[in-house]
C-alpha cells in the first residue's frame, strides 16, 4: 500500500479519568474538532454493537458472502427495534410480565420476555385462526387459547 499522510489528534482528560488517546485520520486537512466528532459518532455505533452482542446475543454473522453479512446485522437490529416499538404499544401488565421459575426470580422482563409478550398479543388478537375448510371443529375455549399462547410464545 502507498504511504499516506496522517493527522494525529491527541485527546487528554485534564481530570485524568481516562488515559490519553491518539486519534488518527488519513485526511490531514480535517480539523481536530471534525476528527473528534467522527470518533464520537463511531464510538456510539461501537457501543450499540457491543450492547447488542452482550444483551441480545447478536453474534458475528457467518454467511458465505459479504453482501449477506452486510444485510443480516441491520435486519436483526431493525427487528429488535420493531419488537421494542410493538411492545411499547402493549398494556403495562402485558409488557412488564417476566417469565420466572422457582429457582430464578427476575425483577424486570428480558428481551426474550418482551418478544414473547409481543407474540402472545399478536396470536391472541388473531384468535388462533383455524382453517377455513368445513371439516374442522370449533376453536378451543378462550382460556385454553391463552394458555397455549403463553406456553408457545416462549418456545417459538
Amino acid at each position: 500500500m502507498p504511504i499516506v499522510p496522517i493527522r494525529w489528534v491527541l485527546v487528554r482528560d485534564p481530570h485524568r479519568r481516562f488515559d490519553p488517546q491518539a486519534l488518527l485520520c488519513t485526511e490531514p486537512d480535517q480539523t481536530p474538532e471534525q476528527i473528534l466528532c467522527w470518533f464520537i459518532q463511531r464510538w456510539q455505533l461501537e457501543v450499540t454493537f457491543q450492547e447488542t452482542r452482550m444483551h441480545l446475543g447478536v453474534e458475528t454473522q457467518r454467511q458465505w458472502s459479504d453482501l449477506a453479512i452486510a444485510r443480516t446485522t441491520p435486519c436483526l437490529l431493525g427487528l429488535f427495534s420493531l419488537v421494542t416499538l410493538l411492545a411499547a404499544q402493549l398494556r403495562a401488565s402485558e409488557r412488564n410480565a417476566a417469565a420466572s421459575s422457582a429457582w430464578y426470580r427476575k425483577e424486570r422482563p428480558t428481551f426474550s420476555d418482551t418478544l414473547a409478550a409481543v407474540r402472545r398479543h399478536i396470536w391472541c388478537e388473531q384468535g388462533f385462526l383455524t382453517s377455513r375448510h368445513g371439516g374442522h371443529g370449533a376453536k378451543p375455549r378462550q382460556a385454553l387459547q391463552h394458555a397455549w399462547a403463553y406456553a408457545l410464545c416462549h418456545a417459538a
Side-chain angles (χ1 to χ4, degrees):
M1 300 296 292
I3 297 174
V4 295
I6 293 178
R7 173 107 191 223
W8 290 64
V9 177
L10 182 62
V11 180
R12 291 188 298 177
D13 180 15
H15 301 291
R16 300 178 189 245
R17 291 177 290 198
F18 64 86
D19 294 332
Q21 186 168 4
L23 306 178
L24 309 174
C25 181
T26 57
E27 296 183 26
D29 296 334
Q30 295 299 324
T31 65
E33 292 82 9
Q34 180 61 54
I35 295 170
L36 187 60
C37 285
W38 285 338
F39 174 76
I40 292 168
Q41 290 171 348
R42 167 89 184 195
W43 183 254
Q44 293 170 347
L45 186 62
E46 292 295 328
V47 169
T48 299
F49 285 135
Q50 180 183 10
E51 289 183 355
T52 57
R53 285 186 178 105
M54 186 174 17
H55 299 296
L56 300 176
V58 174
E59 296 295 331
T60 302
Q61 306 305 312
R62 295 182 180 97
Q63 283 85 9
W64 288 101
S65 74
D66 289 340
L67 287 176
I69 293 169
R71 286 188 301 255
T72 304
T73 300
C75 286
L76 286 173
L77 291 174
L79 287 171
F80 287 132
S81 299
L82 182 61
V83 168
T84 303
L85 291 172
L86 290 172
Q89 301 298 314
L90 298 177
R91 292 189 320 258
S93 60
E94 288 179 302
R95 185 175 56 245
N96 295 329
S100 60
S101 58
W103 60 88
Y104 180 67
R105 172 97 173 111
K106 288 190 267 186
E107 296 298 320
R108 297 172 45 200
T110 62
F111 184 79
S112 178
D113 294 320
T114 303
L115 181 58
V118 169
R119 282 183 185 139
R120 185 169 52 248
H121 181 79
I122 291 171
W123 292 348
C124 288
E125 282 292 314
Q126 292 178 346
F128 280 98
L129 298 175
T130 57
S131 173
R132 297 186 190 276
H133 297 291
H136 295 283
K139 291 182 184 179
R141 293 186 331 254
Q142 188 85 9
L144 186 56
Q145 286 181 16
H146 288 291
W148 285 350
Y150 182 80
L152 291 174
C153 70
H154 287 281

